[in-house]
Amino acid sequence: MSLSADEIRRMSPEERLKTLNELRMELLKLRTQARVGTLTNTARIRLVRKNIARILTVINEERKKGLHS
């Protein structure tokens, strides 16, 4: 499931970090499965990486907004 930037912005900072950690763990598992050869849905790796990038982008935007205020 792909997360939109709007969905991420509506999350609390704690929810964002929790989701980020869950996605990083999932990515680790997917990469392990890919190495072993048991991964069936290879597109899932790309989707998880994009979701991680979206969360990090929103976190950095919030951080910069806080610095410039």
Side-chain angles (χ1 to χ4, degrees):
M1 175 181 83
S2 181
L3 293 170
S4 71
D6 287 335
E7 287 176 302
I8 296 168
R9 285 188 183 97
R10 278 181 261 154
M11 292 179 180
S12 69
E14 295 81 21
E15 282 180 294
R16 280 187 214 131
L17 290 176
K18 181 178 176 251
T19 305
L20 180 63
N21 288 332
E22 289 171 358
L23 288 169
R24 285 180 169 163
M25 288 303 297
E26 182 179 355
L27 183 61
L28 186 66
K29 289 176 187 174
L30 290 170
R31 285 180 171 162
T32 304
Q33 288 177 1
R35 282 193 200 102
V36 175
T38 58
L39 184 62
T40 56
N41 184 6
T42 56
R44 183 78 181 138
I45 291 176
R46 184 174 180 191
L47 184 67
V48 170
R49 287 178 60 219
K50 285 182 178 281
N51 283 334
I52 290 171
R54 283 188 189 103
I55 291 173
L56 290 174
T57 299
V58 171
I59 289 172
N60 286 326
E61 285 174 353
E62 296 289 325
R63 193 173 291 151
K64 286 181 181 179
K65 195 186 309 180
L67 291 176
H68 295 294
S69 295

